[in-house]
Amino acid sequence: MVFVSSDPLPPPPRLAGRARAEDPRTPLSRERIVDAALAVVDADGLDALSMRRVAADLGTGPASLYAHVAGKEELLELCIDRVSSTLVIPDPDPDPDRWEEQVKTFVRDLHHGLLEHRDLARASLARIPTAPATLVVIDRLLALLRAGGLSDQVVAWASDLLPQYAVASAYEASLFIERMATPEGERYMQDVGAYFAALPAVRFPNIAALAGPLMHNPTPDARFEFGLDVIVRGLVALRTG
Amino acid sequence: MVFVSSDPLPPPPRLAGRARAEDPRTPLSRERIVDAALAVVDADGLDALSMRRVAADLGTGPASLYAHVAGKEELLELCIDRVSSTLVIPDPDPDPDRWEEQVKTFVRDLHHGLLEHRDLARASLARIPTAPATLVVIDRLLALLRAGGLSDQVVAWASDLLPQYAVASAYEASLFIERMATPEGERYMQDVGAYFAALPAVRFPNIAALAGPLMHNPTPDARFEFGLDVIVRGLVALRTG
DNA sequence: ACCTGAACACCGTTCAAGT
DNA sequence: ACCTGAACACCGTTCAAGT
């Protein structure tokens, strides 16, 4: 590889940390816009995601995005679909004997896949999935659920309930993680613990009595795993055969 | 009742519909600010809730609110707590024989209490409850759960899981209701149904096979009731005694 | 067809100044 | 102590104008 004077210069070194404004000559595309949007979320969280910020990171103005994307709503949907497309969902060759563990693994993967992108899960709440990669995830989940001896109606509603749980938990977990990441946040969580412990037992006898278990987080995933276990056990209880 | 010329005039008649700017002489207070905020949410939804809008409805400027409320975050927390305080939670005299139905009634009341305020539930997601009325709700839930033969740890985590489900479902239900309320929204929901029905069965065999059950909503609460049943059955499965 | 500058109608929050 | 006007640093989206 040789450089001649007419070659474009290689990109200059730059401080990491903040997103670089990309070469404005490479044309915009949905792909690049979604890349930039996810980079913003990964770097600074969902609240930092704005059309103006994405445009600036791409070295252009906000109006330019609207040639490729209908608006912020569609951009969020595209981000979710991109994340769905990265989920490795092994076609699990549904095995009735290992059904419960297979369902749990599926929901866990969803949960953790979302958690890789901070609080992006918030944008996934209450969205009807219509984008292709997301539909693939649902279809695979349905395939798995159908191997569990459940009625079609239970399978259908369970394919709503389980992702709802994965998403809501990922959102809550992301806020928890975010808080624990900063010194003030860690302080705040300790204060909350102390606050609950100090609550007047006359007015809140049960909170006072259970302050320990209420605050207990043996592992970061313990609460998530508990709810997942409850839901899967409940589904098993609805088996017809 | 007689009017003399020095009496302040009674408030002039006005078009309903939009919130009136209240008498600026009656002093601001947290109470009145929360009243106004909830009125905005009830009238136009959570997205319409802004400090500026609340201030305008109270006949003042946005800066005035900050003497009574730390910021928008605190205002949202106060709104949630206000809603919690309106929930009628009959101390249910926990009865192990009717435990499952009592738990369901409790979670249903939470769900529907939130639904009375549009998509306010969104603001309740991922918030650690510390305000008094919300803590009362949790304490009562704990009391009820403790009558079910569950370990303290299961009781504690269930008191997270059940409200999480009530809140997430209320948020999703509110969006569904909101959409069905407008003609375009109703149209959109029909289009989604048609879209799923028309999905290529080769790529999405299970969605295609279950299009009927997936779209089936016999009553507005059917999905919520399904999930509630699943979770309560799962908790029953965790009974020690 | 794709991109842009400028504008419109908004945000939450701060702060010096008033009463 | 409580309130305010004005400002700061942002938003999403539109639209006429450019290439």
Side-chain angles (χ1 to χ4, degrees), chain B residues 87-100:
Chain B
L87 293 177
V88 187
I89 311 254
D91 198 30
D93 191 15
D95 173 356
D97 290 343
R98 308 196 312 114
W99 184 84
E100 295 176 46

Side-chain angles (χ1 to χ4, degrees), chain A residues 8-241:
Chain A
L9 290 175
R14 46 186 139 227
L15 242 42
R18 246 305 269 257
R20 60 260 157 75
E22 291 193 33
D23 183 345
R25 287 162 312 176
T26 82
L28 280 181
S29 68
R30 296 183 138 227
E31 274 269 319
R32 291 186 63 225
I33 292 171
V34 174
D35 287 345
L38 272 179
V40 171
V41 173
D42 291 349
D44 296 312
L46 189 60
D47 281 331
L49 178 62
S50 71
M51 300 299 276
R52 300 177 104 102
R53 166 77 183 273
V54 170
D57 287 357
L58 288 169
T60 183
S64 302
L65 305 181
Y66 288 82
H68 301 89
V69 148
K72 193 178 182 182
E73 272 305 300
E74 187 178 271
L75 178 53
L76 287 171
E77 191 176 332
L78 292 170
C79 286
I80 304 283
D81 203 54
R82 169 71 64 83
V83 173
S84 297
S85 76
T86 67
L87 293 177
V88 187
I89 311 255
D91 197 30
D93 191 15
D95 174 357
D97 290 344
R98 306 197 313 115
W99 185 84
E100 295 175 46
E101 199 47 42
Q102 286 180 319
V103 171
K104 286 187 179 182
T105 301
F106 197 107
V107 180
R108 262 195 286 263
D109 288 353
L110 210 56
H111 176 84
H112 291 120
L114 284 164
L115 261 185
E116 301 233 316
H117 300 277
R118 304 267 210 128
D119 53 352
L120 179 66
R122 191 179 72 213
S124 182
L125 278 165
R127 204 176 289 276
I128 302 176
T130 56
T134 313
L135 289 181
V136 167
V137 172
I138 307 249
D139 196 76
R140 290 279 198 290
L141 176 58
L142 285 169
L144 175 52
L145 289 173
R146 291 177 94 183
L150 304 170
S151 76
D152 279 359
Q153 190 61 74
V154 168
V155 166
W157 283 341
S159 78
D160 251 21
L161 177 64
L162 290 164
Q164 187 213 58
Y165 179 66
V167 170
S169 296
Y171 177 43
E172 295 204 339
S174 74
L175 294 194
F176 185 81
I177 291 166
E178 221 107 308
R179 272 198 271 259
M180 291 314 249
T182 88
E184 324 92 70
E186 204 173 351
R187 175 74 190 285
Y188 169 74
M189 293 303 292
Q190 281 174 350
D191 290 349
V192 170
Y195 176 77
F196 279 108
L199 238 34
V202 196
R203 288 180 64 194
F204 308 107
N206 299 288
I207 296 178
L210 297 179
L214 282 169
M215 288 291 132
H216 191 226
N217 284 305
T219 72
D221 287 343
R223 274 162 203 269
F224 169 72
E225 289 292 335
F226 166 77
L228 184 54
D229 191 48
V230 168
I231 293 173
V232 171
R233 280 174 192 264
L235 290 175
V236 167
L238 289 177
R239 271 186 182 143
T240 56

Side-chain angles (χ1 to χ4, degrees), chain B residues 27-28 52 60-61 63-64 68:
Chain B
L28 281 180
R52 299 177 104 102
T60 182
S64 302
H68 300 90

Side-chain angles (χ1 to χ4, degrees), chain B residues 47-111:
Chain B
D47 282 331
L49 178 61
S50 70
M51 300 298 276
R52 299 177 104 102
R53 166 77 183 272
V54 169
D57 287 357
L58 289 169
T60 182
S64 302
L65 305 182
Y66 288 83
H68 300 90
V69 147
K72 192 177 182 182
E73 271 305 300
E74 188 180 270
L75 178 53
L76 287 172
E77 192 177 331
L78 292 170
C79 286
I80 305 283
D81 203 53
R82 170 71 64 83
V83 173
S84 296
S85 76
T86 68
L87 293 177
V88 187
I89 311 254
D91 198 30
D93 191 15
D95 173 356
D97 290 343
R98 308 196 312 114
W99 184 84
E100 295 176 46
E101 200 48 42
Q102 285 180 319
V103 170
K104 285 187 180 183
T105 300
F106 196 107
V107 179
R108 262 196 286 263
D109 288 351
L110 208 58
H111 176 84

